[in-house]
Amino acid sequence: MSELPFAATTPVSVSRVGLRARDAEALAGYYRTVVGLQELSRDGETITLGAGGRPLLVIESDKAAKPDDPRSAGLFHTAFLLPARADLGRWIGHAITDKIRIDGASDHIVSEAAYLTDPEGNGIEIYIDRPHESWKWHDGQVEMATARMDVESVIGSVPAGDAGWTGAPENTVVGHVHLRVGDPAQAESWWRKEFGFDTVARYGDKAVFMSSGGYHHHIAGNIWQSPGAERRDPGRSGLSWVEMRSADASASTSREDPWGTVIRTVPGKAG
């Protein structure tokens, strides 16, 4: 059995993500078939998906919703963190066999990641972390970059004779959520005040990366598509909410960031 990834063992971590869908059934099918999540439950037209019994994604039906606007505040991507490098190798093999369209495959020094987009325009990252003991830090900032993934090496990490991809393995988690915001500095201030997050990296004035407990980032915010974005239109599909787990919380709460993105908090110990 694999260990729970470091990202989920910090004082605060991402618990689940909620998506508002114009076609919830089709979207859930995509996350089952492509990402490998399992359907865990249904409540009316709300579908909960996860891995190893752990809920990770909640898809809420809203047939009247307008399509998401990528220039507005909202979701840049949900990042599903697999427990081991061989798991990513298995997923890439699955993507090749099933001809799944991938937007990119990158080596970020701290992690290796594949990117894709679901049928309703929501970004997805499927990634693994390198051992956190190997990450390089300079004055509280973690060293990250974007280089081409060595795909052959990742696929080569799968043992010979392995059964291959059979779905998202136990201890898959949402490692981080990357948000479209209107101002990274404002996002940084909000997450520091509300969750005590540390800023661990900045990409100029265009993106900020924040975390709890020395992770490379639980939340990121960028203006690559959304500079100056104002409050979100609640009538659009896309991100519905992000749920954070906090060891310091005594009760479940809900609040909105400066762009109207709903951020929930649930109490719980690391892991």
Side-chain angles (χ1 to χ4, degrees):
M1 182 184 296
S2 61
E3 294 183 0
L4 196 66
F6 173 62
T9 68
T10 53
V12 181
S13 63
V14 182
S15 175
R16 302 183 298 168
V17 171
L19 297 179
R20 181 178 297 110
R22 288 154 55 85
D23 187 340
E25 196 66 54
L27 198 61
Y30 179 89
Y31 280 91
R32 287 194 304 267
T33 303
V34 174
V35 182
L37 301 183
Q38 299 96 44
E39 183 173 320
L40 301 181
S41 65
R42 288 185 180 230
D43 182 3
E45 293 187 283
T46 297
I47 304 168
T48 298
L49 305 169
R54 180 190 301 270
L56 302 176
L57 185 69
V58 179
I59 298 177
E60 304 168 348
S61 176
D62 186 351
K63 295 181 176 65
K66 295 174 288 186
D68 187 31
D69 178 0
R71 297 165 298 178
S72 68
L75 182 68
F76 190 67
H77 61 238
T78 302
F80 296 96
L81 175 57
L82 304 176
R85 195 173 192 233
D87 295 319
L88 182 58
R90 294 180 184 101
W91 185 85
I92 291 174
H94 154 64
I96 293 170
T97 299
D98 290 2
K99 297 181 172 57
I100 295 167
R101 179 177 175 178
I102 298 178
D103 300 331
S106 300
D107 185 329
H108 296 302
I109 302 177
V110 295
S111 63
E112 294 173 289
Y115 297 91
L116 54 162
T117 304
D118 77 20
E120 297 204 4
N122 302 296
I124 299 169
E125 177 178 342
I126 297 176
Y127 76 115
I128 58 95
D129 280 332
R130 289 197 167 94
H132 66 274
E133 297 86 358
S134 70
W135 302 347
K136 296 179 180 179
W137 295 81
H138 308 280
D139 299 322
Q141 303 290 287
V142 67
E143 184 177 333
M144 294 193 292
T146 299
R148 181 176 295 180
M149 180 196 290
D150 186 342
V151 174
E152 289 186 2
S153 177
V154 175
I155 293 175
S157 68
V158 179
D162 188 85
W165 181 255
T166 57
E170 184 177 7
N171 288 336
T172 296
V173 299
V174 178
H176 67 267
V177 175
H178 200 141
L179 299 170
R180 304 187 311 249
V181 299
D183 178 1
Q186 191 176 6
E188 178 181 5
S189 177
W190 189 86
W191 284 92
R192 182 188 302 119
K193 176 184 176 183
E194 298 294 334
F195 287 92
F197 274 9
D198 300 311
T199 299
V200 295
R202 295 185 182 90
Y203 286 2
D205 61 356
K206 300 295 191 292
V208 63
F209 299 79
M210 302 159 285
S211 75
S212 168
Y215 189 51
H216 60 68
H217 67 292
H218 289 103
I219 294 290
N222 76 66
I223 55 168
W224 296 326
Q225 296 172 300
S226 57
E230 299 181 352
R231 286 184 67 85
R232 299 179 57 204
D233 178 353
R236 291 191 181 274
S237 64
L239 184 63
S240 182
W241 44 265
V242 177
E243 184 178 87
M244 309 298 294
R245 177 210 52 81
S246 174
D248 296 327
S250 57
S252 297
T253 60
S254 180
R255 67 202 91 175
E256 293 183 355
D257 77 0
W259 299 276
T261 297
V262 175
I263 309 296
R264 299 177 178 177
T265 306
V266 294
K269 295 181 179 179

